[in-house]
Amino acid sequence: MTPVKDAIARLPNKNLKVQLLFNNGISQNWRLGSKTIEELKKLPTIKQSLGQPIPKR
């Protein structure tokens, strides 16, 4: 998971076109909006890799 977290942390907050490659051989092209990128970085495991504290619930 670390390579994925590091890659997400480095993404710019802008619209991105990405190609997802699945383990069954299927690939799909997706468009991620800037707000989606921002929200991905807010996921608890991603926030932790960015050095930000995870709020207690």
Side-chain angles (χ1 to χ4, degrees):
M1 184 71 179
T2 299
V4 173
K5 290 191 296 186
D6 293 343
I8 290 172
R10 289 191 307 270
L11 290 174
N13 291 337
K14 65 178 188 175
N15 294 339
L16 298 175
K17 292 180 183 176
V18 296
Q19 183 179 46
L20 302 176
L21 303 173
F22 297 94
N23 62 358
N24 63 0
I26 294 175
S27 68
Q28 291 185 350
N29 294 315
W30 288 18
R31 181 183 165 276
L32 301 178
S34 60
K35 297 293 183 188
T36 302
I37 301 298
E38 289 174 25
E39 293 301 316
L40 281 173
K41 293 178 181 185
K42 292 179 185 177
L43 292 172
T45 55
I46 303 300
K47 277 183 85 168
Q48 190 173 24
S49 75
L50 292 173
Q52 299 172 7
I54 298 174
K56 295 191 183 206
R57 295 179 189 207

